[in-house]
Amino acid sequence: MINLMDMTGRNVMVTGAAQGIGLEAARLLHQLGARLTLVDANEGKLREAVDGLEKDRVLALGGSVTDRDFLGRVVDQAAQRFGGIHGLVNNAGITRTAMIDNMTVEQWQQVIDVNLTGVFNCLQIAGTEMKKRAEAGERDPGVIVNVSSDAGRKGTIGQINYGAAKSGVLGLTMSAAREWGRWGIRVNSVAYGVVATEMTEVVRSDKFKDRYLANIPLARFLDPDEAVKSIAFLVSSASSFITGQHLSVNGGSHITA
């Protein structure tokens, strides 16, 4: 039987890989045969995350997506060990919650730095490596999946910094897809609704749960291991003619024509 999502021989870089969506994405891609380059600012958690994975197929490095020198070293090491970056899951993100009139400039900037500039940093540095291989004649040099959110499409209360960053990720995705399509580099985003991770504990609490579930036609929150199937699809050859798109994975909470 043909497995359209077979990743054997391909190296996928996952940021924010120590927990939540990033960790589940790494596990699923590993099961599909991928080699992994895993990045997270929490080096201790990252070491725990790689337990159970085949060590010869994993390169795990602790550092921030805001550190361009670090990211350059990551891509160089991955290229030397695995032959290049064949996929990038741009997932690292943080939240700093406050209403608009109470949000500090520091809270605004911290989220923008990680959730938007960090996405650009990874896309530019990993994507440039993909482009070099394309210029050398490689036909399928790589694919990039940026993790966005419904917050970037319809706004969110108490997280204007997060909503702005995730909206920016959508524009970044479309622009990169247009620029790099000629090289065979595909760039898409996944826009999630409420995923059951540590970052959404408040939303899923008894105080807010019913309000959010009322706006989800499927009437439940999304489990991380279910969420990352969409990432695997977009990274794989099953989506070989899809680029510049935003895949909504939200149980129907944001439906458009």
Side-chain angles (χ1 to χ4, degrees), residues 14-211:
V14 182
T15 68
Q19 61 186 344
I21 291 171
L23 176 57
E24 292 302 328
R27 287 171 173 168
L28 178 56
L29 293 168
H30 184 267
Q31 291 172 6
L32 291 169
R35 298 164 175 170
L36 298 173
T37 299
L38 306 181
V39 171
D40 200 282
N42 190 326
E43 192 167 359
K45 272 193 174 183
L46 185 60
R47 284 197 297 268
E48 295 174 8
V50 301
D51 287 344
L53 302 180
E54 295 179 26
K55 299 300 186 293
D56 63 333
R57 286 201 281 138
V58 177
L59 172 65
L61 298 169
S64 173
V65 295
T66 65
D67 184 343
R68 291 178 59 86
D69 290 339
F70 163 72
L71 292 172
R73 294 193 297 272
V74 170
V75 171
D76 286 345
Q77 289 184 44
Q80 291 174 14
R81 182 168 173 180
F82 298 132
I85 301 288
H86 307 107
L88 167 64
V89 179
N90 235 337
N91 167 72
I94 63 172
T95 57
R96 297 290 185 269
T97 302
M99 300 300 280
I100 295 172
D101 49 341
N102 292 322
M103 182 169 289
T104 66
V105 173
E106 289 75 20
Q107 288 172 317
W108 166 270
Q109 198 62 54
Q110 286 170 348
V111 170
I112 296 298
D113 285 348
V114 174
N115 295 29
L116 183 55
T117 305
V119 170
F120 168 75
N121 289 340
C122 295
L123 179 144
Q124 184 186 53
I125 294 168
T128 298
E129 191 279 329
M130 296 175 185
K131 183 169 175 281
K132 287 179 180 177
R133 283 185 287 105
E135 291 172 331
E138 198 165 320
R139 291 190 60 188
D140 185 17
V143 57
I144 297 168
V145 179
N146 299 318
V147 175
S148 186
S149 167
D150 277 358
R153 307 185 84 173
K154 60 183 183 180
T156 183
I157 295 174
Q159 293 184 331
I160 193 171
N161 47 5
Y162 186 82
K166 291 302 186 180
S167 183
V169 167
L170 301 178
L172 183 151
T173 297
M174 293 183 288
S175 295
R178 289 185 181 278
E179 283 196 27
W180 284 345
R182 62 180 293 198
W183 304 110
I185 299 169
R186 296 186 294 111
V187 188
N188 294 291
S189 71
V190 177
Y192 289 118
V194 180
V195 186
T197 66
E198 290 182 14
M199 288 178 67
T200 63
E201 284 181 350
V202 173
V203 168
R204 293 181 291 108
S205 68
D206 290 341
K207 182 177 180 180
F208 300 107
K209 178 175 66 175
D210 291 343
R211 184 191 308 173

Side-chain angles (χ1 to χ4, degrees), residues 148-155 191-195 203 209-222 247-257:
S148 186
S149 167
D150 277 358
R153 307 185 84 173
K154 60 183 183 180
Y192 289 118
V194 180
V195 186
V203 168
K209 178 175 66 175
D210 291 343
R211 184 191 308 173
Y212 278 88
L213 287 175
N215 292 315
I216 303 174
L218 291 184
R220 63 183 176 85
F221 297 127
L222 180 63
L247 179 60
S248 293
V249 184
N250 52 29
S253 63
H254 183 71
I255 298 175
T256 59

Side-chain angles (χ1 to χ4, degrees), residues 1-12 14 23-36 52-54 57-58 89 143 145 225-239:
M1 181 181 294
I2 297 174
N3 180 4
L4 293 176
M5 294 200 294
D6 180 32
M7 306 284 181
T8 303
R10 296 182 70 79
N11 171 42
V12 183
V14 182
L23 176 57
E24 292 302 328
R27 287 171 173 168
L28 178 56
L29 293 168
H30 184 267
Q31 291 172 6
L32 291 169
R35 298 164 175 170
L36 298 173
L53 302 180
E54 295 179 26
R57 286 201 281 138
V58 177
V89 179
V143 57
V145 179
D225 60 346
E226 182 181 21
V228 298
K229 294 174 183 177
S230 56
I231 291 176
F233 166 69
L234 289 174
V235 173
S236 75
S237 62
S239 61

